[in-house]
Amino acid sequence: MSAMDRPTGQQQTKPQPQTYDSAFLKACRREPVPHTPVWFMRQAGRSLPEYLKVREGIPMLESCMRPELVTEITLQPVRRHKVDAAIYFSDIVVPLKAIGIDLDIKPGVGPVIAEPIRTRADLARLRDLTPEDVAYVTEAIGMLTGELGSTPLIGFAGAPFTLASYLVEGGPSRNHEHTKALMYGDPQLWADLLDRLAEITSAFLKVQIEAGASAVQLFDSWVGALAPADYRRSVMPSSVKVFESVAGYGVPRIHFGVGTGELLGLMGEAGADVVGVDWRVPLDEAVRRVGPGKALQGNLDPAVLFSTREAVEAKTDEVLAAAQGLEGHVFNLGHGVMPTTDPDALTRLVDYVHTRTAR
């Protein structure tokens, strides 16, 4: 669906012909591409010395609210690595902070919630997100689209389950015991919590699309902790709601989670156009699980980048071989770039994929 063909009844984005024919968006639409497009989750971040320099002394959440800084950080990997898409620099808890949730991102820990949400009375703290709450996002994306030209910008948000897990646990969790206790013990409260988070997530994605993002990714980082039956019953409805809320914009929708090999088919059913695959499932097996009509994204193990150049190329060849015959393939890592990754290894990887897949 082109920008000119979007259904009425929903505010529409401005057509962006300069990005429409990019390799990344073509692959997302399962169209022929001049080469396999490449971008990396967490490509804008701690692996880059220029990132560390501009972020020095600035807390994470504050850095996400400075449009000039967001613009610079988002552009850094595009300049250095020549990736085929930029991803907006932010954090999945930004919309929660924007609606007044008392939280902080602790270095070395992650998001920490001052007062976890575990009762029905707590739901009242999750008010609607308005564009005015995140005006800095609109400003930054406007700046970025002007700088990026023909390079697409990916907007993103945290999926309702992953946001709920932070809110209920009070921070990162290995076993998600409080989250699962609520999900199993009070299914109606759980459903209402995820529904509210779906509304907040949808609003956040709409702000990014309307500001000029060419695609969006929904990160469900922790959903791999669930069995398929629990996902279908207790999580999938909220993800469906998010994807349906932005369907009318006509931009590709990507869905990604870690450890989700058993959930790939369900994640595709939730409404994504592109399903992200971590390194645990080969792409030729992933396409069988996801089924037809979807592009796939992935899936080199991020740890491979610490090996020799020959090893990186050999493992990359394995990914590309497994991707042969896919309806659409966006090359990515199977998770985010690790902080101590050599930036030159990423630059070489982009060039290698481009060269090996040039048509």
Side-chain angles (χ1 to χ4, degrees):
M1 182 185 298
S2 75
M4 303 303 292
D5 296 329
R6 292 176 187 136
T8 58
Q10 186 176 72
Q11 185 170 346
Q12 299 176 17
T13 55
K14 297 177 181 178
Q16 296 182 334
Q18 70 272 31
T19 64
Y20 186 81
D21 288 327
S22 64
F24 168 72
L25 291 180
K26 279 178 173 287
C28 291
R29 298 193 302 264
R30 296 175 287 121
E31 298 173 359
V33 291
H35 60 263
T36 298
V38 186
W39 73 277
F40 305 116
M41 291 176 283
R42 293 185 184 157
Q43 65 186 16
R46 295 168 291 178
S47 66
L48 299 181
E50 55 266 42
Y51 167 83
L52 297 174
K53 183 177 180 180
V54 298
R55 270 283 322 278
E56 190 172 3
I58 305 174
M60 178 61 185
L61 282 171
E62 182 182 340
S63 70
C64 295
M65 300 174 188
R66 295 188 183 185
E68 295 84 0
L69 185 58
V70 168
T71 299
E72 168 60 23
I73 293 172
T74 303
L75 291 172
Q76 286 175 349
V78 179
R79 296 191 200 111
R80 180 188 275 263
H81 304 314
K82 304 298 187 288
V83 285
D84 293 279
I87 183 164
Y88 183 76
F89 175 75
S90 187
D91 190 275
I92 64 170
V93 299
V94 162
L96 300 180
K97 182 72 172 180
I99 63 170
I101 297 298
D102 186 359
L103 63 85
D104 194 14
I105 299 177
K106 303 287 188 183
V109 178
V112 176
I113 312 297
E115 298 178 59
I117 288 182
R118 296 177 183 170
T119 69
R120 180 157 296 279
D122 292 332
L123 286 183
R125 290 154 51 198
L126 297 174
R127 67 166 177 83
D128 291 342
L129 177 80
T130 69
E132 292 72 28
D133 292 322
V134 287
Y136 47 85
V137 173
T138 299
E139 183 179 351
I141 291 180
M143 296 168 66
L144 277 164
T145 53
E147 293 280 347
L148 285 166
S150 60
T151 301
L153 175 66
I154 304 168
F156 78 91
F161 174 83
T162 290
L163 293 179
S165 72
Y166 280 119
L167 287 169
V168 174
E169 299 291 340
S173 172
R174 183 180 298 272
N175 299 311
H176 307 281
E177 57 265 35
H178 295 294
T179 304
K180 291 184 177 182
L182 178 59
M183 183 175 72
Y184 298 135
D186 194 338
Q188 188 57 57
L189 174 57
W190 173 259
D192 292 344
L193 170 60
L194 261 65
D195 189 68
R196 289 292 298 118
L197 291 171
E199 293 175 0
I200 292 164
T201 296
S202 298
F204 192 53
L205 290 178
K206 288 177 182 179
V207 166
Q208 294 174 73
I209 296 169
E210 291 174 6
S214 297
V216 290
Q217 177 157 313
L218 192 66
F219 283 91
D220 215 347
S221 306
W222 305 124
V223 78
L226 297 182
D230 290 331
Y231 177 87
R232 181 183 288 280
R233 177 179 57 251
S234 302
V235 174
M236 191 171 167
S238 63
S239 295
V240 168
K241 182 173 182 175
V242 173
F243 284 123
E244 288 184 346
S245 77
V246 297
Y249 290 104
V251 303
R253 299 158 297 169
I254 310 169
H255 202 5
F256 175 76
V258 183
T260 53
E262 298 301 318
L263 305 178
L264 288 173
L266 293 171
M267 291 175 72
E269 285 183 39
D273 304 296
V274 184
V275 177
V277 184
D278 76 10
W279 68 92
R280 297 171 178 88
V281 180
L283 292 177
D284 50 359
E285 170 60 17
V287 72
R288 186 189 69 79
R289 298 183 187 188
V290 172
K294 308 286 182 182
L296 296 186
Q297 179 174 279
N299 66 337
L300 184 70
D301 185 342
V304 169
L305 290 165
F306 291 85
S307 191
T308 64
R309 182 169 183 169
E310 292 75 18
V312 172
E313 292 178 356
K315 296 300 288 184
T316 300
D317 285 342
E318 290 180 13
V319 172
L320 295 175
Q324 289 293 319
L326 297 186
E327 294 183 67
H329 177 220
V330 176
F331 190 96
N332 207 312
L333 303 180
H335 196 197
V337 175
M338 296 181 185
T340 54
T341 303
D342 179 2
D344 290 341
L346 291 167
T347 303
R348 289 193 298 267
L349 179 56
V350 174
D351 181 65
Y352 186 76
V353 173
H354 285 172
T355 301
R356 290 284 286 169
T357 62
R359 296 166 175 83

